[in-house]
């Protein structure tokens, strides 16, 4: 009886070739390769037939029901298109085709604002998109809801959803479930505990603080820092005792964060201590012909200052005394200075000369204080006029500083300042400033951006230098401004000193902007088909 060849014999013959190794079977008059394949087919069936079935796994519990309203059909179709789009590889010319991947964040934000539930069949694609783009995760997981967490437990590629604090909020215990809250806080994953603390803080700040106090001493330093940061939401004088206790924490970072939070409470004891220290360093000098500010920086950093969050050791290249002074001034309530400096307004104070080259250090510290305390009066004074040379306010030493100061202003005032900056200085330095403006941009700001882009086009340069601003405009310009772009869609006559083909590239860029704005308008109507926008005719996308 002929012994059947083993699978390894057949595999070895296939790898080496029938011309180099004899067949382990009788070819029975057939070509050797065909005989080998036939023998392999028979062996494969025998191998599979000989497998014993393994034990059946436990069937998972059904996914939790999502009781939120379903998406309108047109919006569901739009979501499918957005999720199916993939960004093109490489750089270079984009043409006039909108980048649908950049519309997905806005679509998700709008859908979440309406409270819609994700269609079950798109949840895997949502998780894949969120896996690839961390900026999408909070909105995507909120929209996907509890089904995302259910699926994440079945696929290791989506485990980020279980680690995400925002993704776990749908499974949090209710406000009245004291036992569920206690158990999740004691036994939950770190992300789940952060999510619980954040959610509890939003609805009952005192309960969140008390929950944190129960286990504070047992938490790791890095976890204490994250938990402490969650107290920013709803921060009030009631949090002061807990934060004062945290000033004695063994972790320097925790102490610094506690001190920062306390300094944003103007009535806190720490704010009063910082005000007293800072006031001894800054005063009016009446010895000259005009009033001026005189500065005497601290001579030492004592233990009490360190406990209140002052870092003793300065970074490389920074003097100790100026480093300590800056920390004291930025932590002192800004209301300290009008009384200290002759009853002057913030505008009058920042206009005063500062002796001995201390102006930059003092104004920079006031900038940080204005940002920390969200003080619009001081932010306005430190920003100065947007049309000033180099748009440099007294304390705005960089675009990053100006952007932070702008965040302390209201939506319309912020947009008006940036519009003035663009009108006076163009778009070359406006990118960071535009990024802090509320969405959609106000009409004056939108006009300023479009006008500046038109000026850049008329100058004959290529549009690629303004690709960042153009990308912002696609996401932030109000779709109502679309009509203003009509005159910019044609290819202009090329000037002699213009870059070759620049006019055509600009026409493509403006066409892409206009098409993107129409798509955004269509998305709004699709998500709210019965709202004010719903009565408008459909815009082709």
């Amino acid at each position: 009886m002929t012994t059947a060849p083993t699978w390894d014999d057949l595999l070895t013959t296939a790898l080496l070739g029938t011309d180099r190794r004899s067949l382990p079977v009788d070819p029975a008059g057939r070509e050797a390769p065909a005989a080998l394949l036939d023998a392999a087919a028979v062996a494969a069936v025998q191998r599979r037939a000989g497998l014993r079935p393994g034990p059946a796994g436990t069937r998972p519990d059904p996914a939790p029901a999502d009781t939120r309203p379903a998406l309108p059909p047109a919006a569901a179709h739009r979501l499918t298109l957005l999720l199916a789009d993939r960004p093109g590889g490489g750089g270079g010319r984009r043409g006039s085709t909108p980048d649908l991947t950049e519309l997905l964040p806005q679509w998700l934000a709008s859908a979440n604002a309406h409270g819609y539930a994700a269609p079950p069949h798109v949840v895997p694609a949502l998780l894949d998109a969120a896996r690839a783009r961390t900026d999408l995760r909070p909105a995507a997981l909120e929209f996907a809801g509890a089904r995302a967490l259910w699926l994440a437990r079945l696929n290791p590629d989506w485990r980020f959803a279980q680690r995400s604090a925002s993704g776990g909020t749908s499974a949090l215990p209710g406000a009245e479930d004291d036992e569920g809250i206690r158990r999740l806080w004691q036994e939950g994953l770190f992300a789940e505990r952060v999510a619980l603390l954040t959610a509890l803080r939003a609805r009952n700040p005192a309960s969140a603080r008390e929950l944190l106090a129960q286990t504070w001493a047992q938490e790791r330093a890095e976890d204490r820092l994250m938990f402490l940061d969650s107290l920013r939401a709803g921060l009030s004088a009631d949090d002061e005792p807990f934060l004062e206790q945290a000033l004695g924490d063994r972790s320097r970072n925790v102490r610094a964060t506690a001190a920062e939070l306390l300094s944003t409470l103007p009535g806190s004891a720490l704010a009063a201590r910082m005000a007293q220290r800072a006031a001894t360093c800054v005063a009016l000098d009446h010895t000259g012909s005009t009033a001026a500010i005189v500065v005497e920086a601290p001579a030492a950093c004592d233990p009490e200052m360190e406990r209140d969050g002052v870092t003793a050791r300065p970074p490389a290249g920074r003097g100790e005394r100026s480093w300590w002074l800056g920390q004291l001034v930025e932590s002192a309530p800004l209301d300290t200075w009008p009384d200290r400096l002759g009853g002057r307004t913030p505008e009058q104070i920042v206009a005063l000369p500062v002796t001995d080259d201390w102006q930059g250090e003092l104004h920079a510290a006031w900038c940080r204080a204005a940002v920390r305390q969200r003080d619009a009066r001081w932010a306005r004074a430190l920003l100065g006029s947007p049309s000033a040379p180099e748009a440099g306010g007294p304390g705005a030493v960089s675009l990053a500083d100006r952007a932070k100061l702008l965040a302390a202003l209201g939506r319309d005032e912020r947009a008006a300042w940036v519009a003035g900056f663009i009108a006076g200085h163009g778009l070359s330095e406006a990118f960071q400033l535009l990024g802090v403006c509320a969405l959609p941009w106000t009409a004056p700001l939108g006009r300023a951006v479009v006008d500046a882009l038109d000026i850049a086009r008329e100058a004959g340069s290529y549009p690629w230098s303004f690709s960042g601003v153009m990308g912002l405009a696609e996401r932030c310009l109000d779709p109502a401004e679309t009509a203003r772009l009509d005159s910019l869609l044609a290819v202009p006559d090329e000037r002699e000193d213009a870059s070759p083909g620049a006019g055509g590239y600009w026409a493509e860029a403006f066409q892409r902007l206009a098409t993107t704005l129409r798509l955004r308008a269509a998305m709004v109507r699709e998500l709210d088909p019965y709202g004010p926008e719903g009565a408008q005719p459909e815009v082709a996308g």
Side-chain angles (χ1 to χ4, degrees):
M1 181 177 62
T2 304
T3 304
T6 66
W7 180 258
D8 288 340
D9 289 338
L10 295 171
L11 183 61
T12 301
T13 303
L15 290 174
L16 295 177
T18 56
D19 56 339
R20 298 177 58 191
R21 181 182 174 92
S22 61
L23 286 176
V25 296
D26 182 6
R30 292 168 297 168
E31 294 288 338
L36 177 63
L37 291 176
D38 287 344
V42 173
V45 172
Q46 292 173 339
R47 281 162 57 88
R48 292 173 181 172
L51 291 177
R52 294 186 177 183
T58 303
R59 172 179 289 185
D61 294 331
D66 198 330
T67 58
R68 296 175 295 177
L71 273 176
H77 177 66
R78 178 74 64 189
L79 174 60
T80 302
L81 295 177
L82 295 178
L83 289 171
D85 191 69
R86 292 291 182 269
R93 186 171 175 177
R94 287 182 56 191
S96 60
T97 304
D99 186 352
L100 297 185
T101 60
E102 291 304 316
L103 296 179
L104 186 55
Q106 289 193 20
W107 190 98
L108 288 170
S110 297
N112 287 332
H114 284 288
Y116 288 126
H121 69 278
V122 304
V123 174
L126 277 170
L127 286 168
D128 283 339
R131 180 192 179 201
R133 290 181 56 180
T134 57
D135 63 306
L136 286 179
R137 289 182 183 179
L141 293 175
E142 178 184 350
F143 180 58
R147 287 195 179 105
L149 295 179
W150 182 84
L151 279 174
R153 287 190 284 269
L154 304 176
N155 185 344
D157 288 344
W158 299 330
R159 66 182 58 157
F160 69 86
Q162 294 179 283
R163 297 194 300 264
S164 170
S166 58
T169 55
S170 59
L172 295 178
E176 306 302 322
D177 186 2
D178 294 337
E179 177 58 27
I181 292 173
R182 186 200 64 77
R183 184 169 57 253
L184 183 58
W185 182 250
Q186 296 285 350
E187 303 173 5
L189 299 173
F190 173 70
E192 294 173 329
R193 300 178 74 210
V194 172
L196 174 64
L197 191 64
T198 302
L200 194 59
R201 181 71 176 177
R203 64 195 186 208
N204 191 332
S207 295
R209 184 178 62 251
E210 293 166 4
L211 187 69
L212 180 57
Q214 292 174 8
T215 60
W216 179 258
Q218 290 78 45
E219 304 290 353
R220 299 183 305 168
E222 55 267 34
D223 293 350
R224 292 199 304 276
L225 185 62
M226 289 290 293
F227 292 144
L228 195 62
D229 198 61
S230 70
L231 298 185
R232 293 182 187 277
L235 187 68
S236 71
D238 293 336
D239 299 313
E240 183 178 359
F242 179 81
L243 294 173
E244 274 283 345
Q245 181 182 2
L247 289 176
D249 196 271
R250 56 188 179 273
S251 166
R252 183 180 64 184
N253 290 333
V254 172
R255 295 196 303 270
T257 300
E260 179 194 346
L261 293 173
L262 284 167
S263 70
T264 64
L265 296 172
S268 69
L270 178 137
R273 294 192 296 269
M274 288 299 196
Q276 184 177 10
R277 292 172 180 132
T280 62
C281 299
V282 181
L284 274 178
D285 179 12
H286 294 287
T287 59
S289 58
T290 59
I293 296 177
V294 61
V295 173
E296 181 64 34
C301 181
D302 57 45
E304 288 75 17
M305 289 169 58
E306 289 195 65
R307 182 184 182 276
D308 283 348
V310 177
T311 303
R313 185 174 182 180
R318 186 77 179 274
E320 285 184 333
R321 298 185 68 195
S322 65
W323 173 244
W324 300 331
L325 172 73
Q327 294 180 79
L328 295 181
V329 173
E330 74 178 86
S331 300
L334 287 164
D335 289 343
T336 301
W337 305 112
D339 291 340
R340 178 64 174 165
L341 301 175
R344 290 173 170 82
T345 65
E347 288 78 9
Q348 293 170 331
I349 290 173
V350 299
L352 288 171
V354 183
T355 62
D356 299 329
D357 296 326
W358 281 105
Q359 178 169 313
E361 186 66 50
L362 181 60
H363 285 192
W366 278 336
C367 276
R368 297 192 295 272
V371 172
R372 180 183 295 187
Q373 298 172 35
R374 308 288 295 181
D375 193 306
R377 297 175 308 155
W378 277 86
R380 196 176 296 120
L382 290 160
L383 277 167
S385 171
S387 60
E390 300 182 0
V397 297
S398 68
L399 284 173
D401 288 331
R402 295 173 197 144
K404 293 174 183 176
L405 287 169
L406 283 168
L409 303 180
R411 167 196 169 98
D412 292 345
E413 185 178 3
R414 192 186 322 166
W417 198 95
V418 177
F421 178 93
I422 292 171
H425 306 280
L427 290 170
S428 60
E429 294 185 345
F431 185 78
Q432 282 183 286
L433 305 180
L434 287 168
V436 300
C437 292
L439 304 182
W441 289 339
T442 63
L445 178 56
R447 286 194 296 270
V449 171
V450 174
D451 289 346
L453 288 170
D454 189 20
I455 291 172
R457 180 189 68 147
E458 290 292 334
S461 62
Y462 288 120
W464 305 313
S465 298
F466 304 94
S467 58
V469 173
M470 190 69 78
L472 275 179
E474 291 174 16
R475 299 189 294 274
C476 308
L477 194 63
D478 193 326
E481 299 292 317
T482 307
R484 298 190 64 248
L485 299 172
D486 290 342
S487 62
L488 305 176
L489 302 182
V491 179
D493 295 333
E494 195 166 291
R495 295 170 25 183
E496 292 184 2
D497 58 344
S499 302
Y505 295 138
W506 275 107
E508 284 184 351
F510 282 121
Q511 181 63 59
R512 183 174 63 250
L513 175 58
T515 305
T516 301
L517 294 181
R518 292 190 178 97
L519 275 174
R520 287 175 49 208
M523 285 163 41
V524 171
R525 289 193 302 276
E526 292 161 357
L527 285 164
D528 190 12
Y530 305 109
E533 294 290 324
Q536 298 183 14
E538 177 72 18
V539 176

